[in-house]
Amino acid sequence: MILAKLVNYYHRLANETDKISGSLKVPSYGFSEEKISYILVLNEQGELVDYQTNLTDDKKPQPKLVSVPKVGGSSSNSIKPDFLWGNSQYVLGITNKVTKNSDRTQKMFEAFKNYHLQNLKDVKDDGLKALYLFLSNWKDGDFSNSILYKEKDIIDKNIVFKLDGVSGFIHQSQAAKDLWYQLCDADELEMGICLVTGNKSRIAYKHPVIKDIFGGERAGNLLISFNKESFKSYGKEKGNNAPVSEQSAFAYTTALNYLLRRENNHCLMIGDTSTVFWAEADSVEQAEFAEDIFAAVMNPPDDEQEASKIFNILEQISAGRPLKEIAPQLAENTRFYILGLAPNASRISIRFWLDTTFGELAHHLANHWQDLAMEPCAWKTPPSIWRLIGETAVKFKRKDGNGYELPKLENVSPVLAGEMTRAILNDTPYPMSLLSQLITRLRADGDINGIRIAMIKAVLQRKFRKGLITEGVPMSLNLESENTAYLMGRLFAVLERIQSQALGELNAGIADRYYGSASSVPYSVFPRLLSGAKHHLSRLRKDKAGMAVILDKDLGDIIFRLPETFPRHFSIDEQGRFAIGYYHQKQSYFAKKAMIDNPVEE
């Protein structure tokens, strides 16, 4: 199923051109996009007359991607040259790498040279003839006597060839392509029924590698491979154990490599999982619009105006309006695919796979943001999923003392990241470990911020929406709530406010010293805090009589609604409600202060 959808996506990309470069988005069968750093310019006599760099204009220049005949696939044990391109070990016989086998580079150069001399001896194309002459005369020791000697950066970089005075690379000529297809067809491969297409085709013995998986091998990882006896069946070797045609293997790996390249905006990092997505629709425009909406929801733009456009669509979806009324480019029946991948040694592990309609997915995303919603809003621009999950990780205070540093990716649980992502995409209950980790972090670092509270609220609200608990969670301060845990959180915020107003800024207030105990075993803490509040109110009546009246009233209103005795302990859900009540009450004081400082003119 996954391979078939990727193959279909490749065929869509194969007919699309890149808006910037004007070239096809993906290479044709038999070709692969590789990072090429240098271009060697040859004259018709095969002499090296010049070289050119092939790098981006970034502050840190990177090799540009070039479509070249597909990778041969050398490893530490095998040597297999590529056609008409390669790194400096193959092309020039030079490297800076230290290997156990001192003759390996010489063998690689000889393999590249002999492979091309054998296949180019009868060619008539000027570019191919020039390359033939170049390799006939070049020796691995010629580097120090050539114009390349001062260009040390070329060593161990990928290289292609160009004929002087002719546009394009030598491998891009029609003669080169025709010869390459002949060489591909000459490979002795078994015929069989392809599991993807159902057609009888040449079966891929070894599948191409997948690159750019976060944490993966530098040379790439394999999605499908059989390299141990225990993986084989009926004595079959490698790819013949799960027959996939050469064309299908090329198509699904090319599509996946395209999705994984960050510049194409089809890949999100969720924990340690590289998450790719794509759509199938009646038109390319519909598919691309659905992909753009999903990318923006999962990783919102920094621009507030652009972000509001996206989330306005979700608000309308949650209100029940049909997609066609909201945006004509969207269609309920557009298929949407999401694939989570993570490295497992040299292989790729599939963390999750979702095949759904965009209409259903949009409703699930809308429910997620509705569950998170709070008043006042806890953020200026909606946070990405990574930003949400990052709140479960350890935080460290900034050296300048202003707030906390952003959490590091390695401190986020990959299991929790995957479970939360599945819950969002499938509209299932959030993992309970999410709530427990958030509560733990609140108690550990005291950073009771809006995003954490919104996530706690989302966990409980979704449980209520799914019928797992009997009481919902308010979006803002609810003065009528009779929930004991919520009231105790409000009470704690009032007590903190009384202390701060009476004593001013403190190095360690009651929240720093007692929040953990108050939110889990209130019976052991609140009597002592209430006793201290009496003294603070007494002092406050002398200095700020009006403030004392307001806080005393808040205190009385909450205590009136509480049971006669404080609870002995709170469950994890109740600790979540305590945190929400505390945050709501505290925010109400900030809102009142803002109104006093900035009164509305009538």
Side-chain angles (χ1 to χ4, degrees), residues 97-337:
K97 296 177 181 177
V98 178
T99 60
K100 295 179 182 178
N101 185 352
S102 59
D103 297 330
R104 179 172 173 79
T105 299
Q106 174 65 24
K107 292 176 181 177
M108 292 170 74
F109 172 70
E110 290 297 332
F112 184 83
K113 179 177 181 177
N114 293 334
Y115 177 63
H116 286 81
L117 292 182
Q118 177 184 348
N119 291 299
L120 301 180
K121 60 184 178 181
D122 297 323
V123 296
K124 297 180 180 179
D125 178 77
D126 291 340
L128 295 177
K129 284 195 292 185
L131 180 56
Y132 177 86
L133 293 171
F134 170 77
L135 292 173
S136 298
N137 298 321
W138 183 271
K139 299 179 180 59
D140 57 349
D142 288 351
F143 181 81
S144 57
N145 299 318
S146 72
I147 59 174
L148 300 174
Y149 182 65
K150 293 182 179 180
E151 190 68 22
K152 301 294 184 183
D153 287 342
I154 198 173
I155 298 176
D156 296 320
K157 301 297 193 305
N158 286 336
I159 299 166
V160 294
F161 295 91
K162 182 181 185 298
L163 184 63
D164 191 23
V166 178
S167 62
F169 305 126
I170 289 176
H171 71 266
Q172 293 176 332
S173 70
Q174 191 58 50
K177 291 179 181 178
D178 292 342
L179 179 56
W180 173 237
Y181 290 136
Q182 290 177 25
L183 295 174
C184 289
D185 291 340
D187 291 342
E188 295 182 3
L189 296 173
E190 272 190 43
M191 298 293 288
I193 302 298
C194 173
L195 294 176
V196 177
T197 64
N199 299 325
K200 190 171 184 180
S201 310
R202 289 151 37 91
I203 300 303
Y205 187 68
K206 182 180 178 181
H207 293 210
V209 296
I210 308 299
K211 297 185 177 180
D212 294 325
I213 292 282
F214 177 79
E217 300 284 339
R218 186 174 182 180
N221 294 64
L222 292 167
L223 186 61
I224 298 174
S225 66
F226 303 85
N227 63 352
K228 289 187 178 181
E229 198 70 33
S230 57
F231 302 153
K232 299 176 182 179
S233 59
Y234 299 101
K236 294 184 180 293
E237 293 292 324
K238 293 191 179 293
N240 291 324
N241 285 276
V244 175
S245 69
E246 279 261 288
Q247 291 91 338
S248 294
F250 167 79
Y252 89 75
T253 53
T254 302
L256 203 44
N257 281 322
Y258 175 88
L259 291 166
L260 284 163
R261 290 206 298 273
R262 302 301 186 265
E263 64 269 22
N264 292 329
N265 297 321
H266 280 270
C267 182
L268 305 166
M269 282 309 306
I270 300 175
D272 67 342
T273 303
S274 300
T275 305
V276 297
F277 57 90
W278 69 99
E280 280 183 8
D282 295 335
S283 68
V284 173
E285 292 73 21
Q286 281 185 331
E288 288 182 343
F289 192 74
E291 291 161 354
D292 291 343
I293 292 289
F294 179 77
V297 172
M298 300 296 278
N299 192 13
D302 294 330
D303 185 272
E304 289 186 40
Q305 188 173 2
E306 288 300 316
S308 65
K309 290 179 184 177
I310 300 299
F311 286 89
N312 180 51
I313 291 176
L314 292 187
E315 286 178 8
Q316 293 183 69
I317 291 171
S318 63
R321 287 192 63 192
L323 278 180
K324 284 186 177 180
E325 290 183 13
I326 299 168
Q329 305 98 315
L330 294 176
E332 291 275 356
N333 62 348
T334 294
R335 299 303 303 180
F336 208 90
Y337 309 104

Side-chain angles (χ1 to χ4, degrees), residues 60-103:
K60 292 184 177 180
Q62 298 296 318
K64 293 180 181 178
L65 288 170
V66 176
S67 177
V68 294
K70 68 179 181 181
V71 179
S74 60
S75 67
S76 58
N77 299 319
S78 66
I79 294 175
K80 187 176 181 181
D82 294 300
F83 187 57
L84 305 180
W85 73 281
N87 64 34
S88 68
Q89 283 182 281
Y90 278 112
V91 175
L92 302 172
I94 188 167
T95 183
N96 283 329
K97 296 177 181 177
V98 178
T99 60
K100 295 179 182 178
N101 185 352
S102 59
D103 297 330

Side-chain angles (χ1 to χ4, degrees), residues 387 391 395 403-404 438 441-450 452-453:
R387 180 72 180 85
E391 291 296 335
K395 283 188 176 182
Y404 293 83
L438 288 167
R441 295 266 55 85
L442 293 182
R443 298 177 63 176
D445 58 32
D447 184 18
I448 307 173
N449 63 60
R452 284 181 171 178
I453 298 302

Side-chain angles (χ1 to χ4, degrees), residues 492 499 509-519 525 528-529 578:
F492 191 74
Q499 183 192 55
I510 66 170
D512 300 308
R513 299 175 63 185
Y514 298 111
Y515 180 85
S517 300
S519 62
V525 175
R528 192 186 328 163
L529 295 178
F578 180 98

Side-chain angles (χ1 to χ4, degrees), residues 8 77 94 98 121 141 150 189 253 270 298 338 347 355 357 420 427 445 464 471 475 480 514 543 548:
N8 290 343
N77 299 319
I94 188 167
V98 178
K121 60 184 178 181
K150 293 182 179 180
L189 296 173
T253 53
I270 300 175
M298 300 296 278
I338 303 171
R347 291 184 177 80
D355 175 356
T357 64
M420 182 174 174
D427 196 31
D445 58 32
F464 170 70
E471 185 177 355
M475 289 178 61
E480 305 301 321
Y514 298 111
D543 302 331

